[in-house]
Amino acid sequence: MTITENPTAAASGNAATDKFKGERFTADTSPERLSAIATEALAGFGALIRKHAVTYDEYRVLKQWLIDVGEGGEWPLLLDVFVEHEIEDVNSRRFRGTKGSIEGPYYVPGAPELPAQCTLPMRDEDRVHPPLVLRGQVTDLDGRGLGGARIEIWHADDEGYYSQFAPHLPHWNLRGTVVADAEGRYDITTIEPAPYQIPTDGPTGQFIEAAGWHPWRPAHLHLRVTAPGRQPIITQLYFAGGEWLDDDVATATKPELVLEPQVDDAGRKVATYDFALDPLAD
């Protein structure tokens, strides 16, 4: 096992770390719960070492790689790609509403507020692509519309780049906070994003290459849907027939989250997706 030295971390990985460090997080984890989780985690790691007879050379490579991940600013990237899907799955089991998915490292709060029927901010060069229209309704579990629900949406452009994580893009490109109408309906015009590779020029990419894995994610839209008194939904919507849909490096796709856009008379791709929100958990 060899992971070659490469001190240049992906710019997007660094940007994700910088944004994450802007907040401090806490949890109400008791010392007993922390001890139980940590003890089992270390025991599991020890069992893996014994099962595969990990050598000292491999152990030293691991230590150096962990240092590189930190110095390269890629911990949010690494954890969101390889761990978050398990956290999301466990935490979503108690809800009956729309399926969630991972948030990923590229969420930025405070996107411009837009009306229920809107077009996302985009460059002139984005507008040359066929429009994609995503429309639907935000409801409670009984199908009643939730007026004023907020749909935060963000996604990559046609080359796989996210605004605020790629210096050539305008600050809020393909990002917005859409306020649904009185019946919870929304109608968003944007463009279809491209599949993209997670950053590969830093230690996460070196690990993927060393393991013989691929770094690709299928094309997707990110959404965070909220309404007063309702459990927020963080999810991703994918596209039927899309490349890497069945082999996502982040293991985040779900059948319930796949869109099947239809082309309308104006040449637009139109997809409908409704969101059902659970009551706010106690």
Side-chain angles (χ1 to χ4, degrees):
M1 179 175 68
T2 301
I3 297 179
T4 58
E5 182 180 357
N6 182 352
T8 305
S12 58
N14 280 309
T17 294
D18 290 342
K19 289 189 179 297
F20 189 84
K21 289 194 301 186
E23 298 183 54
R24 300 301 299 177
F25 299 92
T26 61
D28 59 356
T29 308
S30 69
E32 293 77 17
R33 176 174 168 81
L34 174 60
S35 176
I37 294 172
T39 298
E40 191 163 341
L42 293 171
F45 195 53
L48 180 148
I49 291 169
R50 289 189 293 274
K51 177 180 178 180
H52 294 280
V54 174
T55 69
Y56 254 105
D57 283 345
E58 291 168 334
Y59 174 61
R60 293 184 182 105
V61 169
L62 172 63
K63 285 201 294 185
Q64 182 59 62
W65 177 72
L66 292 173
I67 293 169
D68 291 344
V69 171
E71 292 181 343
E74 290 197 359
W75 277 115
L77 172 68
L78 180 79
L79 293 172
D80 288 351
V81 169
F82 294 115
V83 178
E84 188 184 357
H85 69 275
E86 297 286 2
I87 302 293
E88 188 280 323
D89 180 63
V90 167
N91 282 268
S92 67
R93 292 177 187 174
R94 54 198 174 116
F95 301 119
R96 297 190 294 122
T98 298
K99 291 290 185 182
S101 187
I102 64 174
E103 181 178 277
Y106 302 134
Y107 170 68
V108 180
E113 190 170 295
L114 301 169
Q117 185 171 2
C118 64
T119 297
L120 292 187
M122 64 179 73
R123 305 167 298 169
D124 289 342
E125 48 264 58
D126 295 321
R127 297 179 188 276
V128 304
H129 301 288
L132 170 70
V133 178
L134 178 68
R135 58 172 59 132
Q137 186 179 23
V138 184
T139 72
D140 64 15
L141 295 182
D142 296 317
R144 293 184 290 261
L146 297 174
R150 299 169 72 85
I151 303 105
E152 293 179 79
I153 179 170
W154 67 102
H155 63 83
D157 66 8
D158 68 301
E159 295 183 326
Y161 292 108
Y162 284 83
S163 60
Q164 302 195 38
F165 297 87
H168 69 286
L169 294 178
H171 200 62
W172 293 111
N173 203 63
L174 301 175
R175 295 178 181 267
T177 302
V178 180
V179 181
D181 68 13
E183 297 181 344
R185 299 188 183 280
Y186 69 93
D187 188 299
I188 304 167
T189 297
T190 183
I191 62 169
E192 189 170 335
Y196 65 84
Q197 298 183 69
I198 65 169
T200 57
D201 60 335
T204 302
Q206 294 164 20
F207 165 69
I208 290 172
E209 182 179 2
W213 300 347
H214 76 77
W216 285 92
R217 294 223 61 216
H220 57 277
L221 308 172
H222 295 265
L223 300 109
R224 186 176 188 272
V225 185
T226 58
R230 298 287 152 180
Q231 188 68 29
I233 289 173
I234 297 172
T235 197
Q236 299 181 12
L237 297 179
Y238 305 89
F239 299 91
E243 194 174 11
W244 309 107
L245 184 63
D246 298 322
D247 190 21
D248 175 19
V249 66
T251 324
T253 62
K254 298 178 182 180
E256 300 89 344
L257 302 178
V258 178
L259 301 171
E260 296 190 18
Q262 304 298 312
V263 179
D264 68 6
D265 294 339
R268 306 178 305 172
K269 294 182 178 180
V270 180
T272 300
Y273 200 87
D274 298 330
F275 296 93
L277 275 58
D278 285 81
L280 194 63
D282 295 332

